[in-house]
Every structure is written in C-alpha cells, then in structure tokens.
Amino acid sequence: MNYLLGIDIGTSGAKTVLLDTDSGKIAASVLKEYPLYTPRPLWAQQEPEDWWNAAVWGIREVLEKAGAEAGDVKAVGLTGQMHSSVFLDGNNASIRPAMLWCDQRTGKECEEIGRLAGRDRIVDITCNPMLTGFTLPKILWLKNNEPENYSKLRKVLLPKDYIRFMLTGEYATDVSDASGMGIFDVRNRRWSDELIEACGLKKEWFGKVYESPEISGRISETAAGLTGLRAGTPVAA
C-alpha cells in the first residue's frame, strides 16, 4: 500500500488524514481536540505541547485504523493556523504559551512597527499592512511586556512548523505561511533584513524558507519511535 499523511494544526484541534494514493480515497482520519485559553480580554493562547501530543496521537491512530505499516507512508504534509507564535529557548523548549492568530493584544506594537519601519514601506515589503494577528508584533509584545522571556528567545516558529521541528529536527517554514508573519519579503521570497533590523531582531531566529511542495526534512529516529512512522520519511514544507 502507498499512503500520504496530512496533519493540520487547527485552532480547535489537530486533524490527521491518511490518503490511499492508489485509490485516491481517505483511508483514515481522526480529530484530537485541545484547549484554547483566554486568560485576559483580547488574549488567545495555546500550549505547543498540546499540538504535538495531538499530532502523535493522530498519526498512531490513523495508522492503526488503516492497518498501515510504517513503510507504507511515503510522505508527510503539514498545514495549520497561520500567524500564531511559538517561541523557543536555546534548549528548544517553549518559553510561553503561543499567542494565536486571533489574539488581539498587539495594537501598540503594530503602531510601533509602523513608526520603526514606515507603514508604506511595510506594505511594499510584505504586501500587507501590519495587523494584530501577525507574528512580528507578537515578538515585539514579548520584548515590551515579558523581557525575561524575550531574553531567552532563540527561535520563532508557526504552529505547523513546530510540529515539523518535532518530527524532523529542522527549523523551517513555507513561503505561503511566511507571508503572513509580517516580516517576509514576499516579492523576493526571503526574510526581510530591513524589517528585522528596524525592529531589532535576529535573523537566525527564523527558519529556512521553502517553496510549499519542497522537502523540508525527514522523520527523525526519535519521532519515528513516538509516531510509528519510518525514519527518513520526507516531510513537505
């Protein structure tokens, strides 16, 4: 048998789907829900570890439902909620709960970025105005409001890219999701050095950018042991 595995890290839960490429039909699918926390007005947060636990459970469940062997899965694809922030420290541990795409606490930071980089210039680079849901203002919110946590920051990932890291050990994203972070040079398909410098950030915080269908990594031995997938299975951006 030949299967493709898809994982979607949604706002309400992780959806995992196993596609039979021979018939073009869904062989198995599962949904694992997780909490959304709103500790204050305008705040919306989730724990990245909840996403990972849901993904591991989902992968094992669809393999079991379909009676699929590890070697039957030929590739993995990832999707998920855009804009939400995962902040990792030097040990790859999550520094704080992820602020989601619907989190609205960053109004002041959007104004700050406009002053630092110029509103027209931001639109020219990112093809978007700076919006509260985007990732860049979340980074500045961390700097302005949780300086101790900001000092620990070593990587910034989106939800599906956190799952990629846990599956492969690679820090990466795709051009589509990167375009919604507020720091991506859309026309040149790369991180914007100009915006990174204007906001006082570090380029090494952001992963390698791939075109969406490219292979961005392969299932690690550790992830294989947890999920039941075969080590070396390619993971698309």
Side-chain angles (χ1 to χ4, degrees), residues 144-161:
N144 293 339
N145 295 274
E146 297 179 358
E148 184 176 349
N149 281 336
Y150 184 78
S151 70
K152 302 174 185 177
L153 186 60
R154 296 296 180 270
K155 292 293 178 185
V156 179
L157 297 174
L158 297 172
K160 81 175 196 316
D161 302 324

Side-chain angles (χ1 to χ4, degrees), residues 78-89:
L78 303 171
T79 63
Q81 45 173 300
M82 295 179 73
H83 318 319
S84 305
S85 59
V86 181
F87 299 136
L88 300 183
D89 64 16

Side-chain angles (χ1 to χ4, degrees), residues 88-107:
L88 300 183
D89 64 16
N91 295 316
N92 295 313
S94 179
I95 294 171
R96 70 172 324 282
M99 291 179 270
L100 302 192
W101 60 272
C102 51
D103 191 290
Q104 297 295 302
R105 75 184 75 176
T106 60

Side-chain angles (χ1 to χ4, degrees), residues 55-156:
V56 170
W57 179 88
I59 294 167
R60 299 190 72 89
E61 186 74 7
V62 294
L63 292 177
E64 181 179 348
K65 279 188 172 183
E69 301 292 334
D72 294 339
V73 178
K74 305 307 179 185
V76 178
L78 303 171
T79 63
Q81 45 173 300
M82 295 179 73
H83 318 319
S84 305
S85 59
V86 181
F87 299 136
L88 300 183
D89 64 16
N91 295 316
N92 295 313
S94 179
I95 294 171
R96 70 172 324 282
M99 291 179 270
L100 302 192
W101 60 272
C102 51
D103 191 290
Q104 297 295 302
R105 75 184 75 176
T106 60
K108 291 181 179 178
E109 283 69 31
C110 288
E111 293 296 323
E112 179 182 357
I113 295 165
R115 291 192 299 270
L116 291 170
R119 290 176 177 81
D120 291 342
R121 185 60 180 150
I122 289 168
V123 173
D124 186 51
I125 294 171
T126 69
C127 298
N128 285 290
M130 193 56 56
L131 301 176
T132 50
F134 286 178
T135 312
L136 176 55
K138 294 180 173 69
I139 303 172
L140 290 194
W141 184 94
L142 187 72
K143 180 180 181 180
N144 293 339
N145 295 274
E146 297 179 358
E148 184 176 349
N149 281 336
Y150 184 78
S151 70
K152 302 174 185 177
L153 186 60
R154 296 296 180 270
K155 292 293 178 185
V156 179

